[in-house]
Amino acid sequence: TYPGRNMTEAEARTVVKIWAEDLAEYPAETIAEACRLYRRNPENKFFPHPGAIIALCDKIPDPNWAKYRDSFLSTKDETDGER
């Protein structure tokens, strides 16, 4: 069962339990970053299934990446200008 507009509350709870079970092995920061990456990809037009988020979680090199992403990107921009 995947999210739909006409889901009952019981169906919604079932979906949440499935997602929680599937993503339990990942830190919250990693899941949040994977969701952000999914949302910002213009090719993704539909609500993801857990496997799509798991695939992204597996690609994130470190659970703390989200904390350092902005400083990494701003440092990269600064050094690019020095060339």
Side-chain angles (χ1 to χ4, degrees):
T1 303
Y2 291 100
R5 294 175 189 213
N6 298 320
M7 284 184 14
T8 66
E9 187 174 332
E11 290 171 328
R13 286 183 188 168
T14 299
V15 169
V16 169
K17 286 179 185 179
I18 290 168
W19 275 77
E21 180 182 315
D22 289 348
L23 297 172
E25 67 183 87
Y26 299 97
E29 295 87 3
T30 300
I31 296 168
E33 179 67 7
C35 290
R36 186 192 74 76
L37 291 171
Y38 187 90
R39 284 192 322 267
R40 292 185 175 193
N41 183 337
E43 294 179 15
N44 298 327
K45 307 220 183 288
F46 301 100
F47 195 87
H49 54 83
I53 300 303
I54 289 169
L56 289 171
C57 285
D58 289 341
K59 291 180 181 180
I60 296 172
D62 181 86
N64 295 315
W65 168 248
K67 294 178 186 176
Y68 302 111
R69 178 186 62 244
D70 294 336
S71 62
F72 171 79
L73 293 175
S74 66
T75 302
K76 186 175 186 264
D77 290 342
E78 292 169 9
T79 57
D80 286 347
E82 294 174 5
R83 291 182 186 176

